[in-house]
C-alpha cells in the first residue's frame, strides 16, 4: 500500500471512529444536529386520530353540545390555520439556525450546523486539519445520512436496541433542559446587575502607575546613571544605552501597574515617588539594580459591565446549578452502593467472620508438616 493510501485509510478510520463514538456515547445536541441527520423528521399527530365523516367534527359528538356543525368547522379551520402559521414560523426559525444547505441526499438537506456538529466530535488532531480533510468529512456526512435513511426504511426506528439508546439520550436531554431552565429562572438581568454592582464594590479604584526604569548589574553603575540624570540626561535615551533589561529597546518603558504587581522592592520605591521624578538611590531587586522614573499616577476605573458580564454570568450559573442540585438532593433518598460490600461479603482487606486473615496462623502453631521457625535473635549493635 502506498504512503498516500495508508494516510487516507488512517483518516477514514479516524472519521469512522468518531461516528461510532457519537452513536455509542450519548451526545447532548439539538434535534437535527447529530452527524448524519439533516432536517428533523416531522411526525403527523393528526394521522394517529381516527378519521371523522366528512363535514362532521369531533366536538359535535360531545353530549349537550349545541354548537352548529358549521360553526365548529369554521372554528377548527381557524385554529388549524393559526397552528399552521405558528409551525411555519417555527420551521423558518429552525432552518435559519441550521445555516446554509451544504448537501442534499435523496431529497434530505444537510446543513452547516450538521457539518459543525460533526467536526466538533472529531479528535483534536483532525480538527486542526479540517480544511484539508473537508472532502472526506463531507463524504462521511453523506454516508451517515444514507445509513440513517436505510435504517429507517428497515424499520429500525422501532427497534428495541434503538429505543433503549434513544431513551438514554432522552433522559440526558430532559435533565439538562430542566437544569438549564431552572438556571435561566434564577440568572436574570436583575441578578446580573446586582452581581456587577457587588463586583464594583469589591474592586474599588486603585492607584496605578506608569513608569520607566534602567536596569544595571551593579550599584556603582546605577549611581552613575543617577548622576547622568541629575545632569540633565534624557531618561529614555539613557535606558537604551545602558539598561540590560528587555525594556531597554523602548526606553525602559513599563506597562501600567498597581501595587503588588511588581516585585516588592520595586513597587514600594515607585509608589513612594512623585510624578516626574527619578529615584535618587539605586533600587536593589533580584534582577539587579534599578533606577526608576515615575511618569504618571492615576486611579483605575471599574470595568464596564460588558467587559465582565460573561465572567459574572458564568459564576451566577454555577451558583444556580449548585443550588438546584442541593434542593433536589434535599428531597431525595440517595444511597451510594459503589465500593460497598454486598450483603454477606466482607469489606475489602478483611477476612469473613470466623476466619483468620490469610497468612496469619495462630501464635505458636506452625502449619502441618512444617517446623516452627527458630526465634530470630536481635541484630548486634553497629560496630560491635
Amino acid at each position: 500500500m502506498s504512503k498516500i493510501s495508508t494516510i487516507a485509510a488512517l483518516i477514514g478510520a479516524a472519521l469512522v471512529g468518531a461516528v461510532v463514538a457519537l452513536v455509542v456515547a450519548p451526545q447532548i445536541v439539538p434535534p437535527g444536529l447529530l452527524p448524519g441527520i439533516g432536517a428533523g423528521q416531522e411526525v403527523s399527530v393528526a394521522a394517529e386520530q381516527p378519521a371523522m365523516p366528512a363535514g362532521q367534527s369531533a366536538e359535535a359528538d360531545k353530549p349537550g353540545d349545541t354548537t352548529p356543525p358549521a360553526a365548529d368547522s369554521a372554528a377548527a379551520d381557524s385554529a388549524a390555520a393559526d397552528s399552521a402559521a405558528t409551525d411555519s414560523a417555527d420551521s423558518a426559525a429552525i432552518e435559519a439556525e441550521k445555516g446554509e444547505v451544504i448537501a442534499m441526499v435523496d431529497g434530505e438537506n444537510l446543513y452547516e450546523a450538521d457539518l459543525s456538529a460533526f467536526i466538533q466530535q472529531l479528535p483534536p488532531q483532525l480538527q486542526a486539519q479540517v480544511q484539508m480533510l473537508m472532502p472526506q468529512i463531507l463524504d462521511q456526512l453523506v454516508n451517515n445520512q444514507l445509513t440513517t435513511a436505510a435504517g429507517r426504511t428497515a424499520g429500525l426506528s422501532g427497534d428495541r436496541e434503538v429505543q433503549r439508546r434513544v431513551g438514554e439520550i432522552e433522559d440526558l436531554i430532559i435533565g439538562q433542559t430542566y437544569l438549564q431552565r431552572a438556571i435561566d429562572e434564577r440568572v436574570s438581568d436583575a441578578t446580573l446587575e446586582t452581581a456587577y454592582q457587588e463586583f464594583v464594590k469589591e474592586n474599588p479604584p486603585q492607584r496605578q502607575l506608569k513608569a520607566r526604569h534602567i536596569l544595571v548589574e551593579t550599584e556603582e553603575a546605577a549611581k552613575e546613571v543617577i548622576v547622568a540624570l541629575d545632569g540633565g540626561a534624557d531618561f529614555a535615551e539613557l535606558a537604551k544605552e545602558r539598561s540590560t533589561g528587555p525594556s531597554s529597546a523602548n526606553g525602559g518603558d513599563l506597562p501600567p501597574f498597581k501595587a503588588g504587581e511588581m516585585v516588592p522592592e520595586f513597587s514600594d520605591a515607585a509608589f513612594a515617588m512623585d510624578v516626574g521624578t527619578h529615584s535618587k538611590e539605586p533600587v536593589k531587586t533580584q534582577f539587579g539594580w534599578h533606577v526608576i522614573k515615575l511618569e504618571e499616577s492615576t486611579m483605575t476605573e471599574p470595568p464596564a459591565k460588558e467587559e465582565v458580564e460573561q465572567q459574572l454570568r458564568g459564576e451566577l450559573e454555577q451558583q444556580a446549578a449548585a443550588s438546584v442540585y442541593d434542593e433536589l438532593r434535599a428531597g431525595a433518598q440517595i444511597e451510594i452502593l459503589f465500593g460497598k460490600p454486598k450483603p454477606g461479603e466482607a469489606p475489602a482487606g478483611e477476612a469473613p467472620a470466623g476466619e483468620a486473615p490469610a497468612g496469619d496462623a495462630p501464635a505458636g502453631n506452625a502449619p502441618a508438616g512444617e517446623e516452627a521457625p527458630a526465634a530470630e535473635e536481635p541484630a548486634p549493635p553497629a560496630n560491635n
Side-chain angles (χ1 to χ4, degrees):
M1 182 182 292
S2 67
K3 181 178 180 181
I4 294 178
S5 298
T6 301
I7 294 175
L10 290 173
I11 291 173
L15 290 173
V16 172
V19 176
V20 172
L22 287 172
V23 174
V24 174
Q27 301 292 330
I28 304 304
V29 294
L33 295 188
L34 284 173
I37 301 178
Q41 301 294 324
E42 296 184 358
V43 179
S44 174
V45 177
E48 299 176 1
Q49 305 297 328
M52 300 298 297
Q56 182 178 351
S57 70
E59 297 294 328
D61 288 340
K62 289 184 178 180
D65 193 343
T66 58
T67 306
D72 270 351
S73 179
D77 290 344
S78 176
D82 291 343
S83 177
T86 301
D87 290 345
S88 177
D90 290 344
S91 296
I94 292 174
E95 292 292 314
E97 290 179 359
K98 291 182 178 181
E100 298 292 330
V101 175
I102 61 171
M104 291 184 292
V105 182
D106 291 336
E108 291 288 339
N109 293 337
L110 296 178
Y111 296 88
E112 289 177 329
D114 299 320
L115 176 62
S116 176
F118 182 85
I119 291 173
Q120 289 176 10
Q121 307 303 325
L122 293 175
Q125 63 269 29
L126 292 185
Q127 289 188 29
Q129 306 176 56
V130 162
Q131 293 303 321
M132 182 181 69
L133 299 177
M134 190 57 69
Q136 293 96 321
I137 292 174
L138 291 173
D139 281 346
Q140 192 61 56
L141 275 175
V142 170
N143 291 341
N144 290 351
Q145 180 59 35
L146 289 171
T147 54
T148 298
R152 290 188 181 280
T153 300
L156 291 182
S157 58
D159 181 83
R160 180 179 299 178
E161 176 66 12
V162 171
Q163 289 301 310
R164 182 184 66 80
R165 295 190 183 185
V166 169
E168 292 173 353
I169 297 175
E170 182 183 46
D171 287 345
L172 292 173
I173 295 175
I174 288 173
Q176 193 175 61
T177 301
Y178 175 87
L179 177 61
Q180 188 59 58
R181 290 181 182 178
I183 289 173
D184 291 342
E185 289 178 358
R186 301 171 190 227
V187 181
S188 62
D189 291 341
T191 56
L192 188 60
E193 176 63 26
T194 301
Y196 173 67
Q197 295 302 330
E198 288 295 325
F199 176 85
V200 171
K201 289 181 182 178
E202 293 171 1
N203 297 272
Q206 299 181 55
R207 189 180 174 201
Q208 180 173 269
L209 305 184
K210 188 74 175 66
R212 293 177 184 270
H213 82 130
I214 298 173
L215 176 64
V216 291
E217 295 181 355
T218 66
E219 183 179 13
E220 186 63 29
K223 289 181 177 180
E224 291 176 1
V225 168
I226 293 173
V227 170
L229 291 172
D230 290 339
D234 182 80
F235 194 98
E237 292 301 320
L238 206 57
K240 292 178 181 178
E241 294 173 7
R242 304 193 187 186
S243 181
T244 61
S247 63
S248 61
N250 58 359
D253 189 44
L254 296 171
F257 59 93
K258 297 186 284 291
E261 293 183 347
M262 295 290 188
V263 291
E265 301 89 347
F266 189 100
S267 182
D268 292 345
F271 275 87
M273 294 170 57
D274 294 326
V275 174
T277 65
H278 62 263
S279 49
K280 299 304 180 182
E281 295 292 335
V283 178
K284 177 72 169 69
T285 73
Q286 65 198 69
F287 303 105
W289 296 86
H290 305 258
V291 179
I292 306 169
K293 180 182 180 181
L294 182 60
E295 295 192 329
E296 294 179 11
S297 176
T298 58
M299 297 301 290
T300 59
E301 294 289 335
K305 182 179 177 181
E306 293 74 19
E307 296 178 24
V308 294
E309 181 173 355
Q310 185 174 1
Q311 170 192 338
L312 294 177
R313 184 179 294 278
E315 293 173 356
L316 289 174
E317 289 181 346
Q318 289 182 358
Q319 294 170 9
S323 177
V324 171
Y325 290 138
D326 288 342
E327 292 173 6
L328 293 175
R329 283 174 169 268
Q333 294 182 352
I334 302 171
E335 182 180 4
I336 306 299
L337 302 179
F338 179 81
K340 293 184 178 180
K342 296 180 180 179
E345 290 184 352
E350 295 184 13
E355 295 184 13
D360 290 346
N365 293 330
E370 296 185 13
E371 296 181 0
E376 295 184 0
E377 296 181 2
N383 298 325
N384 286 351

